[in-house]
Amino acid sequence: QVQLVESGGGSVQAGGSLRLSCVVSGSASNNDCIGWFRQAPGKEREGVASSYFGGGSPSYSDSVQGRFTISRDRTKNTLYLEMSRLRPEDSGMYYCASEPLSRYCSFFSTSRFGFWGQGTQVTVS
């Protein structure tokens, strides 16, 4: 089992930056796919980024490409979603999630991710 806890959300002005944290604990594997998702009121949950827990080339949605970056601190079992040049449409509840032993790490399908954090709110004004 894998447990995930997000933090780092808050309120920022448009053009500002935030860094979200996802602490991964339990039976985490380098081959687990860690995805970042967000959901705005009245909208479907959408994937924004993903990366294998152990590293590799991350993927980003078109809407965040060039503005969001996944990084990690291996000593803390933590993945970060660094967000810059934030826009009001980036607002929403952000979640990290895990697909254990993923054969193909992708954020396109939320149903593949079996473990989810509780979310952290991001508000861009």
Side-chain angles (χ1 to χ4, degrees):
Q1 294 185 346
V2 178
Q3 296 83 45
L4 307 100
V5 178
E6 307 96 332
S7 63
S11 298
V12 299
Q13 293 182 326
S17 300
L18 281 174
R19 187 179 74 168
L20 307 183
S21 299
C22 176
V23 179
V24 182
S25 61
S27 57
S29 167
N30 288 338
N31 297 123
D32 295 345
C33 179
I34 306 300
W36 287 94
F37 303 84
R38 67 187 181 191
Q39 187 169 24
K43 301 290 185 179
E44 297 292 327
R45 186 171 297 183
E46 64 171 337
V48 298
S50 64
S51 176
Y52 279 108
F53 182 67
S57 181
S59 298
Y60 304 96
S61 70
D62 290 342
S63 63
V64 309
Q65 181 73 48
R67 300 187 298 116
F68 290 13
T69 301
I70 291 176
S71 61
R72 58 179 47 77
D73 185 338
R74 299 182 186 276
T75 66
K76 299 179 179 179
N77 275 1
T78 300
L79 271 69
Y80 302 100
L81 185 66
E82 299 174 341
M83 308 183 296
S84 63
R85 292 182 287 146
L86 285 163
R87 308 164 180 170
E89 54 263 41
D90 292 320
S91 298
M93 186 71 72
Y94 280 71
Y95 304 87
C96 62
S98 174
E99 178 191 2
L101 302 179
S102 175
R103 293 183 177 89
Y104 182 73
C105 187
S106 172
F107 57 79
F108 290 117
S109 176
T110 62
S111 64
R112 295 178 181 269
F113 293 83
F115 301 94
W116 292 77
Q118 294 302 117
T120 184
Q121 180 68 42
V122 172
T123 302
V124 184
S125 60

